[in-house]
Amino acid sequence: MANAIVTRPLAMHRQPRPLPGAIAPGSVGAMAWKPTEIPDQSGRTFVVTGANGGLGSVTTEVLAAKGATVIMACRNTTTAQEIAARIDGDVRVAELDLSDSTSIRKFADDCDAFDVLINNAGVMNLPFSRTKDGFEAQWGINHLGHFALTGLLLDRIADRVVTLASIAHLMAPKLRVDDLDYEHRRYLRGLAYAQAKLCNLMFARELQRRLSDSGSAKRSYAVHPGAAATDLFAHTETPLDYVTKPFIRLVGHPPAMAAHSTLFAATMPDADPDVYWGPTRFFGTQGPVGKSSSTRLSKNKRLWEQLWAQSEQRTRVTYRF
């Protein structure tokens, strides 16, 4: 991959292996699901954004242990290389900055066919800033970056797309599709994050709808990790950085557990793409994987379409099904 750091050659001149056989009936969504139930992933390739820490590194390690090839698509390639060196299996590091459309297009241009895209990367509760393309950073990185990446790679994804939303979407009372860049209203970092994650959820659902309507066998999943004690909570550049992570440890669950919903949706053959998968206890903050609740707003199909149109216009990426 051009301008990428790789542990092994990135090109994969092959047709992706078909999805492994279905698991036993009735086990999907079972409250006791664990990664030990993941079928053998040998011959399959996953792209995981933001895999240089937190849930991304956990996801990478589990998939590699199951025989998958994993491409860690990260902005911080130095940290990613250190993590990759500690993981047994076929793990590769490639540069991807979701705040920069040039980086996104370079990554996509050099990516060969693969099986699963996991849109994991994200930022949380940042002070107001803009991406290199001029978008409000939380919306630009969490949603628009992944929207552009998915659209540019869709013809090379053999199986499915998994996009991480958040229980934080519950905190968004409305979605100002006409001003997601905060050009005409006061910026509130918590609300901006909630709206960005609401966009992730809406995007995943609208992508699934469009795939289904086009007759495609590809699938799109929305998941959330609950409350995970990762460094995401320690990068807000406020005094909250010193207290939030310990608090999340009390009410949430460790990254190894928080990654279960991602791993479930990314690997289980008969996982339902119309279900929002996530932890099922203590208001969705922790617990086994199952069907999660979401707001009425997140199910507004008219807003899905409006957000999609805005996203295509802003990123200049048009999806072709």
Side-chain angles (χ1 to χ4, degrees), residues 1 6 22 46 50 63 67 83 96 144 163 173 180 191 196 202 223 234 242 286 299 309-310 321:
M1 174 176 293
V6 297
F46 295 71
L63 291 173
I83 293 172
L96 172 65
L144 288 178
T163 301
L180 287 167
L191 178 60
M202 288 181 165
V223 304
Y242 300 100
Q286 60 174 274
K299 301 172 185 176
Q310 279 282 340
F321 295 92

Side-chain angles (χ1 to χ4, degrees), residues 60-261:
T60 298
E61 185 172 4
V62 173
L63 291 173
K66 288 292 182 177
T69 293
V70 184
I71 299 170
M72 302 170 67
C74 308
R75 182 179 61 84
N76 187 339
T77 55
T78 300
T79 300
Q81 284 281 17
E82 294 171 355
I83 293 172
R86 299 195 296 265
I87 298 175
D88 291 332
D90 190 358
V91 179
R92 316 172 188 189
V93 175
E95 184 175 1
L96 172 65
D97 184 350
L98 289 166
S99 72
D100 184 356
S101 60
T102 299
S103 176
I104 294 170
R105 289 181 180 275
K106 284 182 178 178
F107 180 92
D109 286 345
D110 292 325
C111 205
D112 214 333
F114 64 102
D115 298 280
V116 180
L117 171 63
I118 300 178
N119 290 325
N120 164 82
V123 294
M124 180 181 182
N125 291 359
L126 299 179
F128 182 79
S129 61
R130 294 198 179 277
T131 68
K132 294 178 182 178
D133 300 297
F135 307 125
E136 186 278 312
Q138 296 192 81
W139 184 54
I141 294 170
N142 294 351
H143 169 65
L144 288 178
H146 283 126
F147 179 92
L149 179 69
T150 304
L152 292 169
L153 291 175
L154 193 60
D155 63 339
R156 277 155 286 171
I157 299 172
D159 181 18
R160 62 184 74 181
V161 178
V162 179
T163 301
L164 272 71
S166 170
I167 54 176
H169 90 275
L170 300 169
M171 305 303 293
K174 60 182 178 180
L175 187 67
R176 285 281 303 275
V177 177
D178 62 332
D179 192 25
L180 287 167
D181 277 322
Y182 285 86
E183 295 178 342
H184 306 291
R185 56 179 167 150
R186 180 187 175 194
Y187 177 76
L188 299 172
R189 65 177 74 192
L191 178 60
Y193 177 71
Q195 291 183 336
K197 301 314 288 185
L198 174 62
C199 289
N200 285 146
L201 177 52
M202 288 181 165
F203 160 64
R205 286 173 165 167
E206 177 65 1
L207 177 57
Q208 174 58 29
R209 187 188 70 79
R210 293 184 181 226
L211 288 169
S212 179
D213 287 351
S214 71
S216 174
K218 298 176 186 179
R219 287 170 282 179
S220 169
Y221 293 83
V223 304
H224 76 87
T230 68
D231 288 340
L232 187 66
F233 289 96
H235 290 163
T236 67
E237 300 179 27
T238 72
L240 288 175
D241 288 348
Y242 300 100
V243 299
T244 303
K245 192 171 179 180
F247 173 74
I248 293 299
R249 285 198 183 102
L250 293 176
V251 301
H253 53 183
M257 286 287 294
H260 283 192
S261 53

